[in-house]
Amino acid sequence: RGREVVFANARGRKLPGEQPAAMQPGLARLMPEVGNRVWKLYYAAQARNWPLARFQLKEARKLLELCALTRPKYEKSIGQYVEKQMAPMMAAIDAEDLEKFDREFAIAVDEANAYHEAYGKRFLRWKVPSQPPPDLDLTPQPKSK
């Protein structure tokens, strides 16, 4: 309380307050990470690997929260998206209900694209890649004892 925060680069040069904020990753860097998590989320659910689906959804949510933190302009919209789209997907995952997950996932993709359009980025139309991610074994693993 009452302490001034000073940012400095590696050489000890003080950075004006706005420079550290400008160095934060923007949505152009963060949203591909979100998309990657959502891609893995989808195929994990299709494989009925519910623990992996849950993990990927939680990680996507954390990334969206970072997006809201670094770009306050989008905070309200991202908060609404997390509440209205991601929470129902998590409920479907928790219930291990693939049919409900597929419905909620399709709605979430449509809503994400509607936000892109609302912010003047109509050209950003996310879709599920046609192939599962090659870097993960999506096979459900036996539960730990």
Side-chain angles (χ1 to χ4, degrees):
R1 201 161 62 142
R3 292 176 35 197
E4 180 181 336
V5 177
V6 177
F7 295 95
N9 67 13
R11 294 186 181 126
R13 182 174 157 249
K14 290 183 181 178
L15 301 173
E18 67 276 358
Q19 281 187 346
M23 291 186 290
Q24 293 301 314
L27 297 191
R29 282 183 47 204
L30 292 171
M31 290 308 276
E33 292 183 44
V34 172
N36 193 40
R37 293 288 182 180
V38 173
W39 172 30
K40 292 175 179 183
L41 157 66
Y42 176 79
Y43 280 104
Q46 299 311 300
R48 291 177 170 76
N49 186 336
W50 301 114
L52 179 58
R54 185 175 296 105
F55 173 78
Q56 294 297 346
L57 184 57
K58 285 181 179 180
E59 293 301 309
R61 181 182 178 144
K62 287 184 214 172
L63 284 165
L64 284 174
E65 289 168 354
L66 179 59
C67 289
L69 179 67
T70 61
R71 295 301 181 257
K73 165 183 173 177
Y74 302 107
E75 183 177 16
K76 183 178 178 185
S77 295
I78 290 171
Q80 289 172 338
Y81 183 83
V82 166
E83 182 182 321
K84 292 180 181 175
Q85 270 59 63
M86 296 183 102
M89 278 194 291
M90 187 59 82
I93 290 168
D94 289 342
E96 298 185 1
D97 185 338
L98 183 59
E99 188 177 310
K100 181 177 180 186
F101 173 83
D102 285 344
R103 274 194 316 272
E104 296 300 338
F105 186 88
I107 292 167
V109 170
D110 288 345
E111 287 299 310
N113 287 324
Y115 278 114
H116 294 157
E117 193 168 323
Y119 282 101
K121 305 277 196 268
R122 257 191 119 146
F123 50 87
L124 292 176
R125 303 274 317 151
W126 193 83
K127 66 177 186 167
V128 177
S130 60
Q131 298 294 315
D135 62 334
L136 284 178
D137 176 0
L138 299 173
T139 308
Q141 301 300 307
K143 293 186 179 184
S144 300
K145 294 180 182 179

